[in-house]
Amino acid sequence: MLTEEILLVLKEMKNNKVEGPDNIPVEMLKSLDGKATAVLIDICKAIYTTGIWPADFLQSIMLPLEKKPNATKCEDFRTITLISHAAKILLKVLQKRIEAKVNTIHFLSDDQFGFRKGTGTRDAIGTLRVLTERSLEVDRDVYVCFVDYEKAFDRVD
């Protein structure tokens, strides 16, 4: 089963993406055939089975990008992290397995908007707007509480 998952993820990977620290383009991995593909699959299986990741898979390049011109503070930047495409294969397999578990066991309620495929901030805003408009139509009060978790994570380097 893991072999099929790896091959599917490899097939689904998009071309023309920036290489990670190993400078191997995704197109090269996708063009592997026969024995080379088998070796890549064996590496992914070994990592999955043992939980031991090779140093090459753990390397990354972090690029800070300014959110606004002349940024000087950390919060004025966002980052993009480049990792090897080979590592992305296994990470995507793990992500798909976790998503499948979360969706089948229903860890997240239907009103969870963030961090789920197909739902996001716009959906939450739309739902809030509809609820507010309907409440106003029947002359009901609406109470909204927004929680900002930024300070909860201010210890992260």
Side-chain angles (χ1 to χ4, degrees):
M1 183 168 157
L2 187 56
T3 300
E4 292 81 20
E5 291 172 281
I6 293 167
L7 290 172
L8 179 64
V9 165
L10 188 58
K11 182 180 173 187
E12 291 173 347
M13 292 179 80
K14 295 179 182 172
N15 292 334
N16 300 315
K17 294 292 185 176
V18 177
E19 298 94 18
D22 60 2
N23 292 319
I24 297 174
V26 69
E27 293 83 0
M28 188 187 119
L29 294 177
K30 290 173 84 170
S31 69
L32 294 176
D33 201 8
K35 180 125 174 108
T37 303
V39 169
L40 179 63
I41 290 169
D42 288 343
I43 291 169
C44 289
K45 283 181 174 180
I47 294 168
Y48 185 83
T49 304
T50 64
I52 300 169
W53 289 66
D56 293 353
F57 276 45
L58 298 175
Q59 291 180 352
S60 62
I61 300 170
M62 294 184 72
L63 302 172
L65 301 175
E66 293 181 354
K67 289 182 187 175
K68 51 187 171 183
N70 302 319
T72 56
K73 299 178 184 173
C74 285
E75 59 262 19
D76 296 339
F77 292 87
R78 65 183 184 93
T79 58
I80 292 178
T81 304
L82 305 176
I83 62 173
S84 72
H85 292 296
K88 286 181 187 178
I89 294 168
L90 189 54
L91 289 171
K92 192 67 176 174
V93 168
L94 292 171
Q95 178 187 351
K96 285 182 171 197
R97 285 185 171 199
I98 291 169
E99 284 176 356
K101 285 277 188 204
V102 166
N103 291 333
T104 56
I105 301 175
H106 302 292
F107 280 118
L108 302 176
S109 66
D110 292 336
D111 55 358
Q112 167 75 38
F113 287 100
F115 308 105
R116 289 178 67 187
K117 193 173 196 133
T119 62
T121 307
R122 287 184 211 149
D123 300 301
I125 292 169
T127 300
L128 180 61
R129 182 179 177 138
V130 168
L131 287 171
T132 303
E133 288 174 355
R134 288 185 182 165
S135 295
L136 291 172
E137 287 172 3
V138 293
D139 199 29
R140 296 289 226 161
D141 291 335
V142 176
Y143 300 96
V144 179
C145 175
F146 294 97
V147 179
D148 183 358
Y149 289 104
E150 182 178 350
K151 296 297 179 195
F153 301 101
D154 66 351
R155 299 274 187 254
V156 178
D157 290 336

